[in-house]
Amino acid sequence: MSQTQKDRPWLFRTYAGHSTAAASNALYRGNLAKGQTGLSVAFDLPTQTGYDSDHVLAKGEVGKVGVPISHLGDMRALFDQIPLDQMNTSMTINATAPWLLALYIAVAKEQGADISALQGTVQNDIIKEYLSRGTYICPPEPSLRMITDVAAYTREHLPKWNPMNVCSYHLQEAGATPEEELAFALATATAVLDDLQGKVPAENFPEMVGRISFFVNAGIRFVTELCKMRAFVELWDEICETRYGVTDPKYRRFRYGVQVNSLGLTEQQPENNVYRILLETLAVTLSKKARARAVQLPAWNEALGLPRPWDQQWSLRMQQILAYETDLLEFDDLFDGNPAIDRKVNALKEGARAELAQIEGMGGAKNAIPYMKSRLVESNAARIASIETGQTTVVGVNKWQAGEPSPLTAGDDAIMVSDPQAEADQLRRLSQWKANRDPEAVVAALTALRDAAKDGSNIMPPSIACAHAGVTTGEWADVVRGVFGQYRAPTGVSSNPSNRTEGLDDLRAKVDLVSTALGRRLKFLVGKPGLDGHSNGAEQIAARARDCGMEIDYEGIRLTPEEIVTAARNGDVHVIGLSILSGSHIPLVRDVMDRLRAAGIAHIPVIAGGIIPDEDAKALRAMGVARVYTPKDFELNKIMADIVTLVDPRQVAAE
């Protein structure tokens, strides 16, 4: 009997990078030896936002959520002994995507690689950064220009490279409904392609449409998520044919990679996350017509802290078992002709089309950023409220909380701890790099980059020249900031209360009583120090405080400790809330507390939230932080009640 012909499996990736380029290189080579078939590079926040590791805003952030890449030497170390012309590399980088791709090309040239053979992706999606992730630099117009510069350059020189990965992943992490995730991602893709049309010959445009890829999220409602993926496939095919006149079906194919949902990973009973990850993986692999091209899975313990290599290996093995031990890849699409699937797909498409029409009426995604941001904040608020009320069940969180202690979380090494010496090591090597390069070559390269940015020339060739000359990430980005300006995205949090005040009557009454005792309205400052752009939690805290009747002061992301303390003093606030999810809570909170004491306003209570291990929470409380909240504290009304108690002058007088 002849053996059944199997489809080729998707690329197996693990999103990884930490501490230093050398440490990340060792991790990559170890993962490749375990059967990983592609690389997915996580960069630290200074690299993502265009700052060198020695910048004041980078303090405490170096190597925390990814690998620091400040110059060609770092990129060289990151890919040491990894032949780039034989690798498929995904780089999750957006605002500095032209620069990181330039460094990658420069390293490949040093390796003697055929540049035209390079395969991989730069995410290069700025619009979702304005909406959800926060690692943007410039305003929308020049940001789109740089995205399409990358696309035009890769068309000519890197024919196997995906120049843009439309990222709806973070939209779902920010609370997007399936319809919103579909519409906002597709609107982003059309904004980029509309801009690209004038940069490539008309005969080459369909090919460029075919090289736009997507990076999506798959949540726990895996039937809905499967239908969402089928809807993506059908809507993208429709857009490519009707909007852009692409006749070749292969250029209309919806090509996507996926990381399944991290938003739903729980700190409580974290071992349950293994099942969640598996079920979410099925959503993007079961349907052949909507199967992912690449899958990277989070580790089961990411709600607790940085996963260990073993944790990442466990997620990799999940993919390998699904692809190689089951018979999934031996069959045609299992869902064709299923009436329930067809009904759901059509409903999702109808909802997405309505959103797309709304965005189009505003002039496209570039102009609809405030609208889309506000929709995400509202949708996320509805999601959280549903969990708080028990309408949505989350096992181990709001139901069946009782359980046995997990042996997987026992011991001092249950999560990986960042190397405390990594930042100092990076700063030392950065200083050496700057001292050993040719300063005249650096100045000449930066001058050429500035000229290209000003005159509209493609930014990639001078960026590659900058890489070879020894220019640093911060120097490259400073030129971009100088020419194009910086941008501050909308927060999505209106100063006007929402209509979600059901169940808040008692809290609103307490806020009124305490405000009367204070002699004015209770004022709450929500601050995000450092470079962390994960603003979802801060937005929801600010919105709930507003709905409870507090006066809120929330200016969005990327504030220095100095700016937060100045705002607290000038605004005469009653309580300060600090939100940090990058793991940099210890140095950043310490800086804020020190500055509060120096400013003579240390009496203002400070609360902090983030992914904070127990030992770190103890350290924060020892610094004087009044309350520490982590993902397990999902009941926002309890946090609101704590805030009211903290600032109640009658309570303070009684203590």
Side-chain angles (χ1 to χ4, degrees), residues 108-128:
K109 286 182 176 180
E110 288 185 346
Q111 290 185 356
D114 176 2
I115 301 304
S116 66
L118 296 181
Q119 297 184 68
T121 303
V122 276
Q123 193 165 94
N124 207 18
D125 177 355
I126 291 296
I127 290 178
K128 67 94 178 177

Side-chain angles (χ1 to χ4, degrees), residues 59-60 78 114 169 171 174 225 265 278 356 392 398 412 423 462 523 527 596 620:
K59 185 179 180 181
L78 184 64
D114 176 2
Y169 173 83
L171 301 180
E225 295 295 305
L265 299 182
L278 174 58
L356 281 166
T392 297
N398 63 1
D412 294 335
E423 183 165 343
K523 190 170 185 181
L596 286 172
L620 292 177

Side-chain angles (χ1 to χ4, degrees), residues 542-583:
R544 183 64 59 86
R546 172 204 64 195
D547 290 346
C548 287
M550 301 180 202
E551 181 182 349
I552 58 166
D553 184 348
Y554 174 56
E555 296 301 320
I557 64 171
R558 232 182 286 172
L559 300 173
T560 65
E562 182 181 13
E563 288 171 328
I564 290 172
V565 171
T566 299
R569 184 184 61 236
N570 294 345
D572 200 14
V573 304
H574 297 109
V575 62
I576 300 169
L578 302 177
S579 172
I580 308 164
L581 278 83
S582 65

Side-chain angles (χ1 to χ4, degrees), residues 49 54 96 131 188 222 287 313 326 437 476 490 510 561 567 620-621:
T49 50
D54 58 2
T96 52
L131 298 178
T188 298
F222 79 93
S287 178
Q313 174 186 299
T326 77
R437 60 189 182 168
W476 181 91
K510 289 177 182 177
L620 292 177
R621 283 190 283 267

Side-chain angles (χ1 to χ4, degrees), residues 196-272:
L196 181 61
Q197 272 189 303
K199 292 189 175 182
V200 298
E203 63 271 20
N204 298 121
F205 186 69
E207 175 197 347
M208 293 307 300
V209 173
R211 284 170 60 189
I212 297 293
S213 61
F214 292 76
F215 186 71
V216 305
N217 202 328
I220 193 65
R221 293 170 57 82
F222 79 93
V223 176
T224 296
E225 295 295 305
L226 183 151
C227 293
K228 180 190 75 182
M229 297 319 308
R230 290 173 70 96
F232 253 135
V233 168
E234 294 176 19
L235 285 168
W236 183 239
D237 182 80
E238 180 182 299
I239 287 169
C240 292
E241 186 171 22
T242 59
R243 187 182 184 104
Y244 298 114
V246 179
T247 57
D248 190 333
K250 74 179 181 183
Y251 294 144
R252 304 199 304 262
R253 190 178 302 145
F254 185 80
R255 300 178 308 116
Y256 78 100
V258 66
Q259 173 162 319
V260 306
N261 189 268
S262 293
L263 181 67
L265 299 182
T266 64
E267 183 179 0
Q268 304 93 317
Q269 301 179 19
E271 62 277 4
N272 296 341

Side-chain angles (χ1 to χ4, degrees), residues 510-511 513-515 517-518 520-524 550 573-576 603-607 626-627 640-653 655:
K510 289 177 182 177
V511 170
L513 283 172
V514 170
S515 296
L518 290 168
R520 58 190 175 88
R521 182 58 48 181
L522 192 165
K523 190 170 185 181
F524 177 31
M550 301 180 202
V573 304
H574 297 109
V575 62
I576 300 169
H603 63 279
I604 301 175
V606 174
I607 63 176
R627 299 283 190 280
M640 298 300 115
D642 285 350
I643 292 171
V644 174
T645 301
L646 278 173
V647 301
D648 188 344
R650 299 164 301 173
Q651 187 80 17
V652 173
E655 291 178 352

